[in-house]
Amino acid sequence: MEVGAVRVAEDSDFSSLKDLLDCHTDWKLDYNKGPIKVWTKGLHNTNFKMIKVLAIFPEISPEIMYDVLHDPEYRKIWDQHMIESHDIGILNPNNDVGYYSMSCPSPLANRDFVLQRSWLDLGKEKYILNHSVYHINYPPKKGFIRATSYLTGFLVREIDGGGCNLGYISQTDPRGTLPPWLVNKVTQIFGPKMVKSLQKATLGYHEWKMINKPHWKPWHFPEQMRAPRLDITECVMSAAEKKYKYNEEEDSKIGTPSPSRGRKSLKLFKSSKT
């Protein structure tokens, strides 16, 4: 789906995610260690690469992985970058719009997003997609840079003998003054770290959920949803966002890479916790 488009996701949207994960033509393998592989792919219309992560976890059931990816309360525990996350409105039982903000390592400015999320559980295959949209009541906030998700998606698949195969795709523009070369390099670093953090989170989820609303799973049971019905007419740019300049808040004075500057910038991200 295109940035800004608010509509119920179709089968073709989920099929496109699966095709991206299963076809490696024109992708470059950048990381291959243990159960995790990371590819990147350049796109003709942007300097920001698309990243693909595939990982096999024989000890984690697809049901647990899917629940961890969905559960907003548990995310507060395992997602150390999350500052705030809440629903804005529900389009239908499998599509909603929400707000998410995240911390970035100092001296970089924090980022935030307004996202439409769509999901589909086919049993052996479970999908989650998101892309950036607009909402008139959620203009860019002071102290944050409004980033753009062109596509972020997860596909959790059952594997023979138990366990799951996790696929992850992301094409995101963090905006601000970060140069594309740094964004692309940091993305390659954060991909494996994110998956490892998610793997660790799944191992503790069952025990945590047993004492934290064990039967509350609105992604499975739509009758448990409490967010209001989404008003599509409000899913437009606010006046403030139309005037918004993505480079108003500078990150750091990072320009054309040099050996010393590049190492210093990357060290900043590698040392941050995931």
Side-chain angles (χ1 to χ4, degrees), residues 201-218:
T202 60
L203 298 176
Y205 181 68
H206 178 73
E207 182 178 353
W208 177 89
K209 191 63 175 175
M210 290 299 293
I211 57 175
N212 289 275
K213 302 179 182 178
H215 302 295
W216 182 82
K217 294 183 178 182

Side-chain angles (χ1 to χ4, degrees), residues 19 27 32 59 88 90 110 119 126-127 136 215 238 240 254:
D19 290 343
W27 289 85
N32 186 0
E59 77 282 14
I88 296 173
I90 300 168
N110 295 332
W119 59 96
K126 307 174 192 295
Y127 298 80
I136 197 166
H215 302 295
S238 64
I254 304 173

